[in-house]
mmCIF file of all heavy atoms in Angstrom:
data_model
loop_
_atom_site.group_PDB
_atom_site.id
_atom_site.type_symbol
_atom_site.label_atom_id
_atom_site.label_comp_id
_atom_site.label_asym_id
_atom_site.label_seq_id
_atom_site.Cartn_x
_atom_site.Cartn_y
_atom_site.Cartn_z
ATOM 1 N N ASP A 468 319.417 1.773 -45.180
ATOM 2 C CA ASP A 468 320.890 1.667 -45.541
ATOM 3 C C ASP A 468 321.676 1.500 -44.239
ATOM 4 O O ASP A 468 322.957 1.342 -44.323
ATOM 5 C CB ASP A 468 321.300 2.924 -46.145
ATOM 6 C CG ASP A 468 320.711 3.069 -47.508
ATOM 7 O OD1 ASP A 468 320.475 2.070 -48.181
ATOM 8 O OD2 ASP A 468 320.425 4.228 -47.948
ATOM 9 N N THR A 509 340.008 11.810 -34.590
ATOM 10 C CA THR A 509 340.941 11.115 -33.699
ATOM 11 C C THR A 509 340.932 9.631 -33.931
ATOM 12 O O THR A 509 341.638 8.893 -33.351
ATOM 13 C CB THR A 509 340.405 11.282 -32.208
ATOM 14 O OG1 THR A 509 340.189 12.684 -32.035
ATOM 15 C CG2 THR A 509 341.504 10.903 -31.197
ATOM 16 N N ASN A 510 340.094 9.115 -34.825
ATOM 17 C CA ASN A 510 339.893 7.634 -34.925
ATOM 18 C C ASN A 510 339.595 7.081 -33.599
ATOM 19 O O ASN A 510 340.220 6.057 -33.239
ATOM 20 C CB ASN A 510 341.090 6.906 -35.652
ATOM 21 C CG ASN A 510 340.718 5.463 -35.838
ATOM 22 O OD1 ASN A 510 339.460 5.175 -36.132
ATOM 23 N ND2 ASN A 510 341.654 4.568 -35.835
ATOM 24 N N SER A 512 337.701 5.083 -30.523
ATOM 25 C CA SER A 512 337.050 3.809 -30.374
ATOM 26 C C SER A 512 336.495 3.693 -28.946
ATOM 27 O O SER A 512 336.304 4.715 -28.267
ATOM 28 C CB SER A 512 337.953 2.675 -30.838
ATOM 29 O OG SER A 512 339.164 2.671 -30.129
ATOM 30 N N ARG A 523 337.173 4.392 -37.831
ATOM 31 C CA ARG A 523 337.639 4.306 -39.297
ATOM 32 C C ARG A 523 336.784 3.322 -40.021
ATOM 33 O O ARG A 523 336.534 3.498 -41.160
ATOM 34 C CB ARG A 523 339.158 3.837 -39.253
ATOM 35 C CG ARG A 523 339.681 3.964 -40.628
ATOM 36 C CD ARG A 523 341.250 3.878 -40.605
ATOM 37 N NE ARG A 523 341.853 5.049 -40.147
ATOM 38 C CZ ARG A 523 342.783 5.240 -39.174
ATOM 39 N NH1 ARG A 523 343.144 4.256 -38.502
ATOM 40 N NH2 ARG A 523 343.301 6.456 -38.893
ATOM 41 N N LEU A 544 328.074 6.421 -50.220
ATOM 42 C CA LEU A 544 327.046 5.631 -49.355
ATOM 43 C C LEU A 544 327.110 4.183 -49.520
ATOM 44 O O LEU A 544 326.379 3.520 -48.883
ATOM 45 C CB LEU A 544 325.672 6.295 -49.533
ATOM 46 C CG LEU A 544 325.637 7.725 -49.045
ATOM 47 C CD1 LEU A 544 324.232 8.223 -49.287
ATOM 48 C CD2 LEU A 544 325.933 7.892 -47.489
ATOM 49 N N LYS A 546 328.516 0.493 -48.962
ATOM 50 C CA LYS A 546 329.101 -0.064 -47.748
ATOM 51 C C LYS A 546 330.569 -0.491 -48.029
ATOM 52 O O LYS A 546 331.349 -0.759 -47.090
ATOM 53 C CB LYS A 546 328.298 -1.193 -47.232
ATOM 54 C CG LYS A 546 327.090 -0.797 -46.358
ATOM 55 C CD LYS A 546 326.359 -1.886 -45.856
ATOM 56 C CE LYS A 546 327.020 -2.635 -44.645
ATOM 57 N NZ LYS A 546 326.153 -3.816 -44.120
ATOM 58 N N LYS A 547 330.893 -0.663 -49.302
ATOM 59 C CA LYS A 547 332.279 -0.950 -49.602
ATOM 60 C C LYS A 547 332.572 -0.550 -50.969
ATOM 61 O O LYS A 547 331.658 -0.279 -51.794
ATOM 62 C CB LYS A 547 332.538 -2.507 -49.522
ATOM 63 C CG LYS A 547 331.762 -3.419 -50.432
ATOM 64 C CD LYS A 547 331.962 -4.821 -50.257
ATOM 65 C CE LYS A 547 331.430 -5.573 -51.611
ATOM 66 N NZ LYS A 547 331.484 -7.056 -51.435
ATOM 67 N N SER A 548 333.871 -0.305 -51.289
ATOM 68 C CA SER A 548 334.287 0.117 -52.647
ATOM 69 C C SER A 548 335.706 -0.202 -52.929
ATOM 70 O O SER A 548 336.521 -0.341 -52.005
ATOM 71 C CB SER A 548 334.111 1.627 -52.759
ATOM 72 O OG SER A 548 334.651 2.127 -53.920
ATOM 73 N N SER A 549 336.005 -0.543 -54.169
ATOM 74 C CA SER A 549 337.376 -0.761 -54.622
ATOM 75 C C SER A 549 337.769 0.297 -55.678
ATOM 76 O O SER A 549 338.697 0.118 -56.439
ATOM 77 C CB SER A 549 337.669 -2.093 -55.188
ATOM 78 O OG SER A 549 337.559 -3.098 -54.234
ATOM 79 N N SER A 550 337.138 1.479 -55.653
ATOM 80 C CA SER A 550 337.302 2.490 -56.565
ATOM 81 C C SER A 550 338.316 3.569 -56.102
ATOM 82 O O SER A 550 338.193 3.924 -54.904
ATOM 83 C CB SER A 550 335.981 3.156 -56.892
ATOM 84 O OG SER A 550 336.165 4.094 -57.998
ATOM 85 N N GLY A 551 339.090 4.034 -57.049
ATOM 86 C CA GLY A 551 340.033 5.052 -56.611
ATOM 87 C C GLY A 551 341.031 4.741 -55.613
ATOM 88 O O GLY A 551 341.322 3.578 -55.260
ATOM 89 N N HIS A 553 341.719 5.004 -51.363
ATOM 90 C CA HIS A 553 340.800 5.067 -50.298
ATOM 91 C C HIS A 553 341.232 6.314 -49.332
ATOM 92 O O HIS A 553 342.222 6.182 -48.616
ATOM 93 C CB HIS A 553 340.972 3.786 -49.483
ATOM 94 C CG HIS A 553 339.905 3.763 -48.323
ATOM 95 N ND1 HIS A 553 338.569 3.728 -48.483
ATOM 96 C CD2 HIS A 553 340.148 3.700 -46.996
ATOM 97 C CE1 HIS A 553 337.953 3.559 -47.360
ATOM 98 N NE2 HIS A 553 338.889 3.553 -46.430
ATOM 99 N N GLY A 556 339.954 6.420 -45.017
ATOM 100 C CA GLY A 556 340.946 5.932 -43.931
ATOM 101 C C GLY A 556 342.024 6.887 -43.564
ATOM 102 O O GLY A 556 342.502 6.919 -42.505
ATOM 103 N N ASN A 644 320.723 -12.835 -29.725
ATOM 104 C CA ASN A 644 319.352 -13.258 -29.279
ATOM 105 C C ASN A 644 319.444 -14.077 -27.975
ATOM 106 O O ASN A 644 320.555 -14.373 -27.568
ATOM 107 C CB ASN A 644 318.648 -14.094 -30.430
ATOM 108 C CG ASN A 644 319.441 -15.392 -30.857
ATOM 109 O OD1 ASN A 644 319.947 -16.100 -29.974
ATOM 110 N ND2 ASN A 644 319.567 -15.637 -32.198
ATOM 111 N N GLY A 646 318.752 -17.178 -26.876
ATOM 112 C CA GLY A 646 319.350 -18.599 -26.942
ATOM 113 C C GLY A 646 320.917 -18.555 -27.194
ATOM 114 O O GLY A 646 321.659 -19.246 -26.581
ATOM 115 N N GLY A 647 321.263 -17.629 -28.208
ATOM 116 C CA GLY A 647 322.638 -17.493 -28.517
ATOM 117 C C GLY A 647 323.470 -16.938 -27.260
ATOM 118 O O GLY A 647 324.496 -17.520 -26.923
ATOM 119 N N GLU A 650 323.949 -19.532 -24.560
ATOM 120 C CA GLU A 650 325.030 -20.537 -24.796
ATOM 121 C C GLU A 650 326.424 -19.850 -24.761
ATOM 122 O O GLU A 650 327.410 -20.529 -24.242
ATOM 123 C CB GLU A 650 324.810 -21.127 -26.259
ATOM 124 C CG GLU A 650 323.822 -22.301 -26.200
ATOM 125 C CD GLU A 650 323.808 -23.053 -27.588
ATOM 126 O OE1 GLU A 650 324.881 -23.239 -28.253
ATOM 127 O OE2 GLU A 650 322.740 -23.454 -27.934
ATOM 128 N N ASP A 651 326.508 -18.609 -25.214
ATOM 129 C CA ASP A 651 327.687 -17.903 -25.164
ATOM 130 C C ASP A 651 328.165 -17.817 -23.622
ATOM 131 O O ASP A 651 329.306 -17.979 -23.377
ATOM 132 C CB ASP A 651 327.589 -16.505 -25.724
ATOM 133 C CG ASP A 651 327.893 -16.644 -27.290
ATOM 134 O OD1 ASP A 651 328.286 -17.663 -27.815
ATOM 135 O OD2 ASP A 651 327.521 -15.687 -27.978
ATOM 136 N N ILE A 708 347.553 -9.007 -28.591
ATOM 137 C CA ILE A 708 347.037 -9.565 -27.368
ATOM 138 C C ILE A 708 347.901 -10.519 -26.660
ATOM 139 O O ILE A 708 347.983 -10.573 -25.419
ATOM 140 C CB ILE A 708 345.639 -10.227 -27.730
ATOM 141 C CG1 ILE A 708 344.675 -9.126 -28.100
ATOM 142 C CG2 ILE A 708 345.030 -10.930 -26.360
ATOM 143 C CD1 ILE A 708 343.376 -9.618 -28.701
ATOM 144 N N SER A 709 348.820 -11.155 -27.439
ATOM 145 C CA SER A 709 349.757 -12.148 -26.880
ATOM 146 C C SER A 709 350.776 -11.378 -25.959
ATOM 147 O O SER A 709 351.437 -11.951 -25.099
ATOM 148 C CB SER A 709 350.525 -12.951 -27.919
ATOM 149 O OG SER A 709 351.233 -12.003 -28.670
ATOM 150 N N GLY A 736 339.941 -7.048 -25.575
ATOM 151 C CA GLY A 736 339.684 -7.645 -26.862
ATOM 152 C C GLY A 736 340.469 -7.049 -28.026
ATOM 153 O O GLY A 736 340.678 -7.649 -29.001
ATOM 154 N N ASN A 739 344.203 -2.965 -26.074
ATOM 155 C CA ASN A 739 344.333 -1.569 -25.723
ATOM 156 C C ASN A 739 344.113 -1.368 -24.262
ATOM 157 O O ASN A 739 343.132 -1.883 -23.780
ATOM 158 C CB ASN A 739 343.368 -0.767 -26.546
ATOM 159 C CG ASN A 739 343.373 0.710 -26.395
ATOM 160 O OD1 ASN A 739 342.345 1.355 -26.534
ATOM 161 N ND2 ASN A 739 344.574 1.380 -26.031
ATOM 162 N N GLY A 772 355.461 -4.709 -30.745
ATOM 163 C CA GLY A 772 354.751 -4.744 -32.082
ATOM 164 C C GLY A 772 353.437 -3.856 -31.994
ATOM 165 O O GLY A 772 352.662 -4.006 -32.923
ATOM 166 N N THR A 774 351.369 -0.009 -30.663
ATOM 167 C CA THR A 774 351.274 1.432 -30.905
ATOM 168 C C THR A 774 351.169 2.341 -29.733
ATOM 169 O O THR A 774 350.732 1.892 -28.722
ATOM 170 C CB THR A 774 349.966 1.762 -31.931
ATOM 171 O OG1 THR A 774 349.932 3.107 -32.135
ATOM 172 C CG2 THR A 774 348.723 1.211 -31.294
ATOM 173 N N THR A 776 349.347 4.820 -29.306
ATOM 174 C CA THR A 776 348.030 5.276 -28.960
ATOM 175 C C THR A 776 347.005 4.422 -29.660
ATOM 176 O O THR A 776 346.983 4.358 -30.966
ATOM 177 C CB THR A 776 347.875 6.842 -29.336
ATOM 178 O OG1 THR A 776 346.303 7.005 -29.184
ATOM 179 C CG2 THR A 776 348.301 7.141 -30.665
ATOM 180 N N GLU A 778 343.618 4.757 -29.261
ATOM 181 C CA GLU A 778 342.380 5.589 -29.443
ATOM 182 C C GLU A 778 342.351 7.091 -29.052
ATOM 183 O O GLU A 778 341.419 7.697 -29.539
ATOM 184 C CB GLU A 778 341.166 4.768 -28.775
ATOM 185 C CG GLU A 778 341.313 4.605 -27.285
ATOM 186 C CD GLU A 778 340.260 3.768 -26.628
ATOM 187 O OE1 GLU A 778 339.507 3.165 -27.324
ATOM 188 O OE2 GLU A 778 339.990 3.900 -25.421
ATOM 189 N N GLN A 789 356.430 9.402 -32.672
ATOM 190 C CA GLN A 789 355.996 9.095 -34.100
ATOM 191 C C GLN A 789 357.120 8.536 -34.898
ATOM 192 O O GLN A 789 357.018 7.602 -35.680
ATOM 193 C CB GLN A 789 355.542 10.347 -34.685
ATOM 194 C CG GLN A 789 354.158 10.875 -34.091
ATOM 195 C CD GLN A 789 353.112 9.833 -34.190
ATOM 196 O OE1 GLN A 789 352.619 9.399 -35.333
ATOM 197 N NE2 GLN A 789 352.710 9.251 -33.104
ATOM 198 N N HIS A 793 356.845 4.791 -36.298
ATOM 199 C CA HIS A 793 356.534 4.677 -37.840
ATOM 200 C C HIS A 793 357.812 4.698 -38.680
ATOM 201 O O HIS A 793 357.753 4.364 -39.915
ATOM 202 C CB HIS A 793 355.628 5.819 -38.385
ATOM 203 C CG HIS A 793 354.273 5.888 -37.532
ATOM 204 N ND1 HIS A 793 353.433 4.919 -37.700
ATOM 205 C CD2 HIS A 793 353.808 6.640 -36.621
ATOM 206 C CE1 HIS A 793 352.315 5.119 -37.010
ATOM 207 N NE2 HIS A 793 352.535 6.215 -36.285
ATOM 208 N N THR A 806 351.913 17.707 -49.274
ATOM 209 C CA THR A 806 351.169 17.760 -50.561
ATOM 210 C C THR A 806 349.826 18.420 -50.462
ATOM 211 O O THR A 806 349.292 19.243 -51.215
ATOM 212 C CB THR A 806 350.962 16.338 -51.139
ATOM 213 O OG1 THR A 806 352.224 15.723 -51.333
ATOM 214 C CG2 THR A 806 350.262 16.425 -52.448
ATOM 215 N N ASP B 401 347.134 -13.898 -31.008
ATOM 216 C CA ASP B 401 346.768 -12.561 -31.566
ATOM 217 C C ASP B 401 345.669 -12.584 -32.664
ATOM 218 O O ASP B 401 345.322 -11.547 -33.147
ATOM 219 C CB ASP B 401 347.993 -11.936 -32.172
ATOM 220 C CG ASP B 401 349.011 -11.739 -31.088
ATOM 221 O OD1 ASP B 401 348.689 -11.327 -29.921
ATOM 222 O OD2 ASP B 401 350.217 -11.803 -31.416
ATOM 223 N N THR B 442 343.756 -5.050 -54.496
ATOM 224 C CA THR B 442 342.409 -4.879 -55.020
ATOM 225 C C THR B 442 341.332 -4.367 -54.010
ATOM 226 O O THR B 442 340.188 -4.093 -54.354
ATOM 227 C CB THR B 442 341.950 -6.096 -55.787
ATOM 228 O OG1 THR B 442 342.964 -6.594 -56.591
ATOM 229 C CG2 THR B 442 340.785 -5.774 -56.765
ATOM 230 N N ASN B 443 341.603 -4.491 -52.712
ATOM 231 C CA ASN B 443 340.645 -4.426 -51.737
ATOM 232 C C ASN B 443 339.579 -5.437 -52.068
ATOM 233 O O ASN B 443 338.358 -5.018 -52.099
ATOM 234 C CB ASN B 443 340.086 -3.013 -51.533
ATOM 235 C CG ASN B 443 339.160 -2.972 -50.247
ATOM 236 O OD1 ASN B 443 339.346 -3.658 -49.289
ATOM 237 N ND2 ASN B 443 338.227 -2.095 -50.305
ATOM 238 N N SER B 445 336.809 -8.499 -51.574
ATOM 239 C CA SER B 445 335.940 -8.937 -50.581
ATOM 240 C C SER B 445 335.178 -10.139 -51.179
ATOM 241 O O SER B 445 335.642 -10.757 -52.136
ATOM 242 C CB SER B 445 334.965 -7.766 -50.179
ATOM 243 O OG SER B 445 334.348 -7.266 -51.222
ATOM 244 N N ARG B 456 340.359 -4.466 -46.580
ATOM 245 C CA ARG B 456 340.916 -3.254 -45.931
ATOM 246 C C ARG B 456 340.742 -3.281 -44.358
ATOM 247 O O ARG B 456 341.507 -2.788 -43.683
ATOM 248 C CB ARG B 456 340.195 -1.998 -46.456
ATOM 249 C CG ARG B 456 340.796 -0.802 -46.088
ATOM 250 C CD ARG B 456 340.264 0.391 -46.790
ATOM 251 N NE ARG B 456 340.913 0.578 -48.165
ATOM 252 C CZ ARG B 456 340.265 0.656 -49.328
ATOM 253 N NH1 ARG B 456 338.938 0.650 -49.354
ATOM 254 N NH2 ARG B 456 340.969 0.842 -50.422
ATOM 255 N N LEU B 477 351.089 -4.585 -35.449
ATOM 256 C CA LEU B 477 350.318 -5.759 -35.017
ATOM 257 C C LEU B 477 349.199 -5.519 -34.032
ATOM 258 O O LEU B 477 348.450 -6.383 -33.573
ATOM 259 C CB LEU B 477 351.299 -6.862 -34.526
ATOM 260 C CG LEU B 477 352.117 -7.546 -35.591
ATOM 261 C CD1 LEU B 477 353.120 -8.506 -35.039
ATOM 262 C CD2 LEU B 477 351.350 -8.058 -36.754
ATOM 263 N N LYS B 479 345.633 -4.235 -32.933
ATOM 264 C CA LYS B 479 344.311 -4.359 -33.607
ATOM 265 C C LYS B 479 343.781 -3.027 -33.950
ATOM 266 O O LYS B 479 342.848 -2.996 -34.904
ATOM 267 C CB LYS B 479 343.398 -5.173 -32.816
ATOM 268 C CG LYS B 479 343.640 -6.681 -33.021
ATOM 269 C CD LYS B 479 342.536 -7.515 -32.231
ATOM 270 C CE LYS B 479 341.137 -7.565 -32.884
ATOM 271 N NZ LYS B 479 340.253 -8.364 -32.118
ATOM 272 N N LYS B 480 344.160 -2.010 -33.338
ATOM 273 C CA LYS B 480 343.724 -0.646 -33.649
ATOM 274 C C LYS B 480 344.784 0.370 -33.343
ATOM 275 O O LYS B 480 345.633 0.070 -32.411
ATOM 276 C CB LYS B 480 342.374 -0.382 -33.069
ATOM 277 C CG LYS B 480 342.436 -0.251 -31.467
ATOM 278 C CD LYS B 480 341.139 -0.036 -30.833
ATOM 279 C CE LYS B 480 341.386 0.442 -29.375
ATOM 280 N NZ LYS B 480 340.167 0.580 -28.589
ATOM 281 N N SER B 481 344.730 1.488 -33.922
ATOM 282 C CA SER B 481 345.719 2.591 -33.640
ATOM 283 C C SER B 481 345.257 3.852 -34.052
ATOM 284 O O SER B 481 344.451 4.054 -35.073
ATOM 285 C CB SER B 481 347.016 2.266 -34.399
ATOM 286 O OG SER B 481 347.935 3.356 -34.226
ATOM 287 N N SER B 482 345.610 4.953 -33.259
ATOM 288 C CA SER B 482 345.231 6.353 -33.633
ATOM 289 C C SER B 482 346.567 7.093 -33.808
ATOM 290 O O SER B 482 346.632 8.266 -33.733
ATOM 291 C CB SER B 482 344.415 6.993 -32.582
ATOM 292 O OG SER B 482 343.095 6.410 -32.639
ATOM 293 N N SER B 483 347.586 6.386 -34.183
ATOM 294 C CA SER B 483 348.999 7.027 -34.333
ATOM 295 C C SER B 483 349.296 7.304 -35.819
ATOM 296 O O SER B 483 348.896 6.537 -36.653
ATOM 297 C CB SER B 483 350.021 6.056 -33.786
ATOM 298 O OG SER B 483 351.284 6.683 -33.893
ATOM 299 N N GLY B 484 349.938 8.458 -36.003
ATOM 300 C CA GLY B 484 350.344 8.867 -37.375
ATOM 301 C C GLY B 484 349.124 9.022 -38.326
ATOM 302 O O GLY B 484 347.988 9.239 -37.878
ATOM 303 N N HIS B 486 346.955 7.090 -41.284
ATOM 304 C CA HIS B 486 346.655 5.689 -41.646
ATOM 305 C C HIS B 486 347.042 5.324 -43.015
ATOM 306 O O HIS B 486 346.271 5.611 -43.967
ATOM 307 C CB HIS B 486 345.139 5.473 -41.320
ATOM 308 C CG HIS B 486 344.721 4.067 -41.440
ATOM 309 N ND1 HIS B 486 345.206 3.031 -40.564
ATOM 310 C CD2 HIS B 486 343.849 3.421 -42.291
ATOM 311 C CE1 HIS B 486 344.669 1.970 -40.820
ATOM 312 N NE2 HIS B 486 343.867 2.136 -41.926
ATOM 313 N N ASN B 577 326.601 -20.207 -32.320
ATOM 314 C CA ASN B 577 326.481 -21.397 -31.530
ATOM 315 C C ASN B 577 325.079 -21.939 -31.965
ATOM 316 O O ASN B 577 324.267 -21.278 -32.600
ATOM 317 C CB ASN B 577 326.548 -21.130 -30.029
ATOM 318 C CG ASN B 577 325.619 -20.128 -29.548
ATOM 319 O OD1 ASN B 577 324.464 -20.111 -29.952
ATOM 320 N ND2 ASN B 577 326.165 -19.202 -28.638
ATOM 321 N N GLY B 579 322.264 -22.687 -30.294
ATOM 322 C CA GLY B 579 321.092 -22.086 -29.839
ATOM 323 C C GLY B 579 320.838 -20.756 -30.477
ATOM 324 O O GLY B 579 319.681 -20.421 -30.911
ATOM 325 N N GLY B 580 321.856 -20.004 -30.768
ATOM 326 C CA GLY B 580 321.775 -18.772 -31.349
ATOM 327 C C GLY B 580 321.437 -18.833 -32.751
ATOM 328 O O GLY B 580 320.487 -18.104 -33.304
ATOM 329 N N GLU B 583 317.686 -19.781 -33.184
ATOM 330 C CA GLU B 583 316.781 -18.497 -32.986
ATOM 331 C C GLU B 583 316.845 -17.586 -34.232
ATOM 332 O O GLU B 583 315.841 -17.017 -34.691
ATOM 333 C CB GLU B 583 317.059 -17.788 -31.770
ATOM 334 C CG GLU B 583 316.483 -18.496 -30.576
ATOM 335 C CD GLU B 583 316.523 -17.591 -29.255
ATOM 336 O OE1 GLU B 583 316.432 -16.349 -29.358
ATOM 337 O OE2 GLU B 583 316.690 -18.176 -28.168
ATOM 338 N N ASP B 584 318.132 -17.442 -34.738
ATOM 339 C CA ASP B 584 318.225 -16.545 -35.870
ATOM 340 C C ASP B 584 317.451 -17.172 -37.032
ATOM 341 O O ASP B 584 316.838 -16.360 -37.821
ATOM 342 C CB ASP B 584 319.775 -16.487 -36.216
ATOM 343 C CG ASP B 584 320.436 -15.339 -35.351
ATOM 344 O OD1 ASP B 584 319.749 -14.525 -34.710
ATOM 345 O OD2 ASP B 584 321.678 -15.431 -35.396
ATOM 346 N N ILE B 641 321.865 0.188 -49.775
ATOM 347 C CA ILE B 641 320.940 -0.966 -49.929
ATOM 348 C C ILE B 641 319.483 -0.540 -50.316
ATOM 349 O O ILE B 641 318.684 -1.270 -51.043
ATOM 350 C CB ILE B 641 321.037 -1.869 -48.563
ATOM 351 C CG1 ILE B 641 322.354 -2.497 -48.479
ATOM 352 C CG2 ILE B 641 319.901 -2.837 -48.642
ATOM 353 C CD1 ILE B 641 322.589 -3.089 -47.163
ATOM 354 N N SER B 642 319.120 0.672 -49.839
ATOM 355 C CA SER B 642 317.810 1.184 -50.231
ATOM 356 C C SER B 642 317.634 1.375 -51.807
ATOM 357 O O SER B 642 316.486 1.413 -52.199
ATOM 358 C CB SER B 642 317.607 2.462 -49.525
ATOM 359 O OG SER B 642 318.526 3.490 -50.025
ATOM 360 N N GLY B 669 323.823 -7.971 -48.717
ATOM 361 C CA GLY B 669 324.145 -7.388 -47.489
ATOM 362 C C GLY B 669 325.040 -6.207 -47.508
ATOM 363 O O GLY B 669 325.074 -5.228 -46.624
ATOM 364 N N ASN B 672 326.223 -4.893 -53.090
ATOM 365 C CA ASN B 672 327.133 -5.118 -54.178
ATOM 366 C C ASN B 672 326.518 -6.249 -55.036
ATOM 367 O O ASN B 672 326.027 -7.222 -54.430
ATOM 368 C CB ASN B 672 328.454 -5.529 -53.624
ATOM 369 C CG ASN B 672 329.562 -5.775 -54.663
ATOM 370 O OD1 ASN B 672 330.317 -6.635 -54.327
ATOM 371 N ND2 ASN B 672 329.556 -5.214 -55.847
ATOM 372 N N GLY B 705 324.272 7.147 -55.355
ATOM 373 C CA GLY B 705 325.168 7.344 -54.144
ATOM 374 C C GLY B 705 326.202 6.157 -54.010
ATOM 375 O O GLY B 705 326.742 5.974 -52.888
ATOM 376 N N THR B 707 329.155 3.166 -55.944
ATOM 377 C CA THR B 707 330.443 3.134 -56.651
ATOM 378 C C THR B 707 330.420 2.267 -57.780
ATOM 379 O O THR B 707 329.647 1.269 -57.876
ATOM 380 C CB THR B 707 331.468 2.689 -55.558
ATOM 381 O OG1 THR B 707 332.762 2.518 -56.170
ATOM 382 C CG2 THR B 707 331.057 1.278 -54.937
ATOM 383 N N THR B 709 332.714 0.112 -58.592
ATOM 384 C CA THR B 709 333.246 -1.179 -58.290
ATOM 385 C C THR B 709 333.217 -1.367 -56.712
ATOM 386 O O THR B 709 333.930 -0.765 -56.045
ATOM 387 C CB THR B 709 334.692 -1.341 -58.788
ATOM 388 O OG1 THR B 709 335.211 -2.587 -58.220
ATOM 389 C CG2 THR B 709 335.628 -0.192 -58.491
ATOM 390 N N GLU B 711 334.183 -4.515 -55.459
ATOM 391 C CA GLU B 711 335.270 -5.379 -55.086
ATOM 392 C C GLU B 711 336.343 -5.783 -56.169
ATOM 393 O O GLU B 711 337.278 -6.448 -55.807
ATOM 394 C CB GLU B 711 334.725 -6.633 -54.329
ATOM 395 C CG GLU B 711 333.773 -7.381 -55.292
ATOM 396 C CD GLU B 711 333.045 -8.623 -54.637
ATOM 397 O OE1 GLU B 711 333.014 -8.536 -53.295
ATOM 398 O OE2 GLU B 711 332.504 -9.387 -55.201
ATOM 399 N N GLN B 722 336.305 7.220 -63.012
ATOM 400 C CA GLN B 722 336.884 7.770 -61.838
ATOM 401 C C GLN B 722 336.592 9.284 -61.630
ATOM 402 O O GLN B 722 336.282 9.623 -60.515
ATOM 403 C CB GLN B 722 338.440 7.543 -61.911
ATOM 404 C CG GLN B 722 338.865 6.041 -61.854
ATOM 405 C CD GLN B 722 338.380 5.363 -60.568
ATOM 406 O OE1 GLN B 722 338.828 5.703 -59.522
ATOM 407 N NE2 GLN B 722 337.388 4.474 -60.695
ATOM 408 N N HIS B 726 334.646 10.272 -58.350
ATOM 409 C CA HIS B 726 335.296 10.893 -57.265
ATOM 410 C C HIS B 726 335.406 12.487 -57.353
ATOM 411 O O HIS B 726 335.852 13.141 -56.402
ATOM 412 C CB HIS B 726 336.656 10.293 -57.128
ATOM 413 C CG HIS B 726 336.708 8.849 -56.922
ATOM 414 N ND1 HIS B 726 336.265 8.296 -55.698
ATOM 415 C CD2 HIS B 726 337.001 7.756 -57.640
ATOM 416 C CE1 HIS B 726 336.276 6.929 -55.692
ATOM 417 N NE2 HIS B 726 336.727 6.631 -56.912
ATOM 418 N N THR B 739 353.155 12.211 -55.568
ATOM 419 C CA THR B 739 354.067 12.426 -54.439
ATOM 420 C C THR B 739 354.850 11.174 -54.165
ATOM 421 O O THR B 739 356.131 11.240 -53.988
ATOM 422 C CB THR B 739 353.336 12.824 -53.183
ATOM 423 O OG1 THR B 739 352.664 14.030 -53.455
ATOM 424 C CG2 THR B 739 354.237 12.998 -51.975
#
Side-chain angles (χ1 to χ4, degrees):
Chain A
D468 294 325
T509 314
N510 188 29
S512 54
R523 192 167 279 128
L544 292 176
K546 277 181 76 182
K547 63 182 197 186
S548 173
S549 289
S550 185
H553 187 63
N644 61 40
E650 278 189 36
D651 278 344
I708 295 170
S709 62
N739 181 210
T774 174
T776 171
E778 56 186 19
Q789 293 302 292
H793 300 294
T806 301
Chain B
D401 294 326
T442 313
N443 188 30
S445 53
R456 191 167 279 129
L477 292 176
K479 277 180 75 180
K480 64 182 197 185
S481 173
S482 288
S483 185
H486 187 63
N577 60 41
E583 278 191 35
D584 278 345
I641 295 170
S642 62
N672 181 209
T707 173
T709 169
E711 56 185 20
Q722 294 301 293
H726 300 293
T739 300

